[in-house]
Amino acid sequence: MAAPMSASTFLDALQDEGVTVVQVGDWRHHNRNHKGPWGPVHGVMIHHTVTKGSERTVELCRDGYEGLPGPLCHGVITKDGRVHLVGYGRANHAGLGDDDVLRAVIAEKALPPDNEANTDGNRHFYGFECENLGDGRDPWPAAQLDAIEKVAAAICRHHGWTERSVIGHLEWQPGKVDPRGFTMASMRTRIRDRLKQGAV
């Protein structure tokens, strides 16, 4: 169990890990905290956007859309590997998911199948949306995969978590398929190796 980092500490952690950060508007105070608590935090969740075009993707993730107000994540990872910070605090990214998965994340154990949607994930996860069509054909450039690895490692390093605290949306909420185009197992291996090496 951990309290969320302050916005300044979060920014420092990302930059210390070598992440190229773009600060979008007043991201530090853009959140959904009036709808419920944020924290304790237990992990990092990775998504894909089903969008094309970095500018449009960042705008959508910051502002949201009808029926789902923004921010839709804390950071948007565009194909060029930049991480656009669009919000900080509670964000509409995880939705309801499986309490058994959350317990496994907390214990840093292998994940069970996600077959329930009974637990508020927006409260407990840092969230990153990654620019990709999510069709299994849209490429994941090396710079983008590197950035996913770095943001997850930065957060895990700060909280003293292992790579098992990083999950995909598809591992949390039944019916979700994101991120599609790489496996979370392969990404967790990258994060594990990075954590062993130390920050940049």
Side-chain angles (χ1 to χ4, degrees), residues 82-153:
R82 294 189 298 168
V83 179
H84 304 254
L85 301 183
V86 296
Y88 203 67
R90 185 181 177 91
N92 275 335
H93 73 97
L96 294 177
D98 195 310
D99 59 339
D100 293 329
V101 172
L102 182 61
R103 280 190 284 272
V105 170
I106 293 169
E108 298 195 312
K109 295 181 176 178
L111 299 177
D114 54 327
N115 54 20
E116 296 179 290
N118 57 13
T119 300
D120 176 13
N122 294 334
R123 177 178 184 175
H124 296 301
F125 289 93
Y126 296 92
F128 292 89
E129 287 281 357
C130 306
E131 178 193 352
N132 192 275
L133 291 174
D135 58 5
R137 297 185 300 275
D138 192 14
W140 290 89
Q144 189 176 31
L145 293 173
D146 287 347
I148 297 169
E149 173 191 326
K150 287 176 182 178
V151 297

Side-chain angles (χ1 to χ4, degrees), residues 25-77:
D26 187 19
W27 66 272
R28 296 167 186 263
H29 303 105
H30 184 47
N31 56 56
R32 303 287 296 163
N33 290 357
H34 63 287
K35 290 296 185 179
W38 189 44
V41 288
H42 299 300
V44 181
M45 191 174 295
I46 306 299
H47 308 258
H48 66 226
T49 59
V50 196
T51 59
K52 185 175 183 179
S54 298
E55 184 176 347
R56 173 176 174 267
T57 297
V58 171
E59 182 179 348
L60 176 68
C61 290
R62 185 188 188 284
D63 297 339
Y65 53 87
E66 187 176 354
L68 192 67
L72 305 184
C73 58
H74 300 106
V76 183
I77 304 176

Side-chain angles (χ1 to χ4, degrees), residues 15-19 150 157 194 197-200:
Q15 291 178 329
D16 288 348
E17 202 69 41
V19 175
K150 287 176 182 178
R157 197 184 303 284
R194 185 174 191 88
Q197 295 167 2
V200 173

